[in-house]
Amino acid sequence: MKTNRERILMIGAGAIAFFYCGDWAYQSFVATPLQSRQDRIDRLTSDVESREAELRRSRRAIDSLSVWQAKSLPSDSLRARSIYQNWLLEVVGRVGLVGCTVDSADPVRRQGDLQAISFSVRGRGTLKQLAKLLYEFYRANHLHQIQSLTVTPLVGQGTLDLSLAVEALIVPGAEPKEALDRNPDPQWMSVRLADYDAIVRRDLFGIGGGDTDTIDDVFLTAVTDDGRKRQAWFTLRAQGKTLRLGKGESIAVGDFQGRVVDIDAADVVIEAQGERWLMSLGENLAGAAAVPPES
């Protein structure tokens, strides 16, 4: 009886030992290698996915870089500074701001070998002209932005004193182009100047948008001479436009009807109702001085 019991215990102990040994062998030679292999596959799969994502980001960055290079100022910083400053002068002239100055600073290095050139724009104009300036600026296909805009209402004049800080970029690898892109930014193709009328209608500064000019709003802003013909540039601030008139051409503002009879380097003589009036650069029509009749 005792012998049978011992035999049963030995068989049970052997079975338990066999089970544990078998489990150890399975874990050591089957399960663990399989798990290690699966872990390695998972790591490799994750690594491949990470590299593919990095490759996609690199491709997008290359595409973005190409777009930025196309919008960039020319690679020559001196050339870039000059033509962008001229572009700003052209824009403020087209908008009709008065007393404008555009200054620039030396290029500075930024992260990634970018070069940034800062510009400052000062001038006076109506709210409608400010809206047009913003429209012209943002639809331009250049790599630039307005860093700050300071607007000060001029009490009793219905105009604003404007000060803008602008920054434009030169991207590494940009083309050495001779002129800026004249085409609008594709992202702004659907934007119209009329969309900015909401700014004027809200009259944020309480000066009125000004759609009708009077002789107080007409300024002589420039005299040009191309060697063949002189022109006087009259800025109509309320309408935000500029009249470019030669000798003998008429000017009509509100109830005023006149004709340009003489253009000097810095003065213009206008004849109206048999009298002659002298306007100098920077002056408005209301401040024109009467010219004594010739004896």
Side-chain angles (χ1 to χ4, degrees):
M1 188 73 179
K2 185 176 180 180
T3 303
N4 289 337
R5 183 179 298 172
E6 290 176 350
R7 186 181 298 117
I8 292 171
L9 290 173
M10 290 179 64
I11 292 172
I16 293 172
F18 178 79
F19 172 78
Y20 279 106
C21 288
D23 182 67
W24 175 83
Y26 174 78
Q27 294 294 332
S28 299
F29 298 105
V30 179
T32 300
L34 284 176
Q35 185 61 47
S36 298
R37 182 180 180 185
Q38 185 61 47
D39 291 343
R40 186 182 178 193
I41 291 173
D42 291 342
R43 286 195 301 271
L44 291 173
T45 301
S46 177
D47 187 53
V48 169
E49 291 175 349
S50 297
R51 291 179 183 275
E52 288 179 344
E54 184 178 351
L55 182 60
R56 287 193 296 270
R57 287 194 296 269
S58 298
R59 287 171 177 167
R60 286 196 297 268
I62 292 173
D63 292 340
S64 297
L65 180 60
S66 299
V67 173
W68 294 341
Q69 287 173 337
K71 292 185 175 186
S72 169
L73 298 188
S75 55
D76 184 333
S77 60
L78 291 177
R79 178 67 180 164
R81 183 175 175 179
S82 174
I83 65 174
Y84 187 79
Q85 186 167 0
N86 288 338
W87 178 80
L88 285 174
L89 285 167
E90 180 183 326
V91 170
V92 296
R94 189 163 59 242
V95 168
L97 298 186
V98 177
C100 292
T101 60
V102 177
D103 298 313
S104 61
D106 292 331
V108 295
R109 290 281 179 182
R110 292 288 172 81
Q111 185 177 3
D113 286 334
L114 291 172
Q115 292 188 72
I117 307 178
S118 297
F119 298 84
S120 61
V121 181
R122 292 291 305 271
R124 300 187 307 277
T126 63
L127 188 56
K128 187 169 186 176
Q129 289 170 324
L130 172 59
K132 186 177 181 181
L133 174 63
L134 296 176
Y135 169 76
E136 293 276 357
F137 184 91
Y138 284 113
R139 76 190 300 266
N141 196 26
H142 311 322
L143 202 59
H144 62 176
Q145 66 177 351
I146 295 176
Q147 299 283 74
S148 67
L149 169 62
T150 303
V151 180
T152 305
L154 300 177
V155 180
Q157 299 185 33
T159 56
L160 305 168
D161 185 74
L162 306 173
S163 177
L164 294 86
V166 177
E167 185 177 82
L169 297 180
I170 301 175
V171 177
E175 295 293 329
K177 49 193 174 186
E178 294 298 317
L180 297 179
D181 187 1
R182 294 288 177 174
N183 296 314
D185 189 328
Q187 296 181 357
W188 286 74
M189 290 289 286
S190 61
V191 179
R192 303 168 303 153
L193 179 58
D195 296 331
Y196 281 69
D197 286 346
I199 298 176
V200 181
R201 288 194 299 269
R202 291 185 64 183
D203 191 14
L204 301 175
F205 304 98
I207 63 170
D211 289 324
T212 304
D213 284 284
T214 66
I215 57 175
D216 294 285
D217 302 314
V218 181
F219 284 76
L220 178 62
T221 51
V223 173
T224 63
D225 190 346
D226 62 2
R228 295 174 301 172
K229 179 182 179 181
R230 278 187 177 175
Q231 281 190 325
W233 291 22
F234 298 92
T235 297
L236 281 61
R237 295 193 308 186
Q239 297 181 48
K241 68 179 183 180
T242 300
L243 301 178
R244 303 177 185 183
L245 305 179
K247 187 175 180 179
E249 294 186 279
S250 299
I251 178 172
V253 181
D255 297 329
F256 179 86
Q257 302 284 332
R259 183 172 60 92
V260 178
V261 295
D262 195 18
I263 302 176
D264 204 347
D267 301 290
V268 172
V269 176
I270 297 175
E271 185 178 77
Q273 298 180 344
E275 296 181 327
R276 294 192 171 196
W277 303 88
L278 177 69
M279 286 182 69
S280 298
L281 280 174
E283 292 182 347
N284 63 359
L285 187 54
V291 178
E294 297 179 358
S295 56

